[in-house]
């Protein structure tokens, strides 16, 4: 199974730069069965930002990762998608997968990060973290394609917006008062 990374954008926000992305993948019946039987699935989304340099090694400007956990709770009969302390509940698996496939407003570059006015190479990928599966499933993941779900690195060029230049006052009296 492959995950395709689509519609990736880095947008300026108050905190820095946020990433929006869409992931396209089909969920194997075996994975759906595992979740329905109480096995949580962990997905990792990884982001890297590097600045290529011809005279030295590439500079790593930013690196972030986020872990998403998909689980089913038999008592409430709801699917849960969680990251950190944030949890969302869904009535069925398709609703949970719809949200899992879309990443919105994830701040990957902090405002305090110094970025040069240059072209950067940004890279993004998503994968099912098989190391978080119970041991018997980890062994199955080594031989079964049904338990591997990942994308390659989606690379794109990113150039940070330059800071706006201060506007000079037009009225000479305003300039004297400053």
């Amino acid at each position: 199974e492959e995950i395709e990374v689509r519609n990736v954008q880095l947008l300026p926000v108050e905190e820095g730069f946020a990433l929006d992305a869409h992931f396209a993948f089909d969920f194997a019946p075996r994975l759906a069965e595992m979740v329905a039987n109480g096995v949580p699935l962990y997905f990792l989304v990884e982001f890297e930002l590097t600045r290529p340099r011809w005279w030295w090694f590439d500079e790593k400007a930013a690196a972030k990762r986020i872990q998403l956990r998909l689980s089913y709770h038999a008592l409430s009969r709801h699917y849960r998608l969680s990251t950190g302390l944030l949890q969302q509940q869904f009535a069925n698996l398709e609703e949970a997968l719809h949200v899992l496939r879309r990443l919105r407003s994830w701040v990957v570059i902090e405002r305090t990060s110094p970025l040069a006015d240059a072209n950067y190479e940004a890279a993004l990928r998503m994968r099912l973290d098989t190391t978080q599966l119970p041991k018997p499933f980890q062994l199955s993941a080594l031989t079964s394609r049904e338990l591997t779900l990942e994308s390659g690195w989606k690379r794109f060029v990113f150039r940070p917006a330059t800071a706006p230049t201060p506007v000079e006052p037009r009225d000479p009296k305003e300039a004297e008062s400053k």
Side-chain angles (χ1 to χ4, degrees):
E1 297 290 323
E2 288 274 325
I3 298 176
E4 184 183 346
V5 183
R6 297 181 181 167
N7 304 332
V8 181
Q9 291 182 321
L10 272 172
L11 305 168
V13 293
E14 194 171 308
E15 298 87 14
F17 287 94
L19 183 92
D20 286 353
H22 177 254
F23 302 98
F25 60 89
D26 293 323
F27 212 61
R30 181 144 184 226
L31 289 174
E33 180 184 335
M34 286 172 54
V35 171
N37 288 324
V39 177
L41 299 179
Y42 293 86
F43 291 85
L44 277 178
V45 180
E46 297 169 296
F47 173 82
E48 291 180 354
L49 185 71
T50 56
R51 183 175 70 166
R53 298 188 285 197
W54 62 271
W55 51 276
W56 197 248
F57 297 110
D58 293 348
E59 173 192 4
K60 187 176 259 189
K64 289 270 188 158
R65 59 193 318 200
I66 188 171
Q67 185 179 61
L68 303 162
R69 180 180 187 258
L70 177 64
S71 60
Y72 178 72
H73 293 272
L75 290 177
S76 64
R77 294 186 182 174
H78 282 97
Y79 287 87
R80 259 190 210 160
L81 188 60
S82 58
T83 177
L85 298 175
L86 178 67
Q87 293 185 8
Q88 291 178 286
Q89 290 192 29
F90 303 95
N92 58 45
L93 180 61
E94 274 310 309
E95 290 176 9
L97 290 176
H98 180 74
V99 174
L100 178 66
R101 290 179 181 121
R102 298 186 186 280
L103 191 60
R104 297 283 180 247
S105 302
W106 178 34
V107 178
V108 291
I109 304 169
E110 303 292 330
R111 178 176 290 283
T112 58
S113 299
L115 294 179
D117 188 21
N119 286 336
Y120 287 83
E121 183 180 89
L124 177 71
R125 77 172 175 174
M126 178 187 222
R127 64 186 172 93
L128 174 64
D129 189 1
T130 55
T131 63
Q132 297 285 336
L133 293 173
K135 293 292 182 202
F137 291 112
Q138 287 182 25
L139 293 173
S140 295
L142 294 173
T143 59
S144 173
R145 301 271 306 147
E146 286 184 309
L147 296 182
T148 55
L149 190 61
E150 64 182 88
S151 72
W153 284 99
K154 170 78 171 186
R155 299 185 187 283
F156 58 98
V157 176
F158 170 68
R159 185 172 188 97
T162 57
T165 56
V167 178
E168 294 295 322
R170 294 180 190 206
D171 186 11
K173 291 180 184 176
E174 281 184 31
E176 289 175 9
S177 64
K178 291 188 178 191

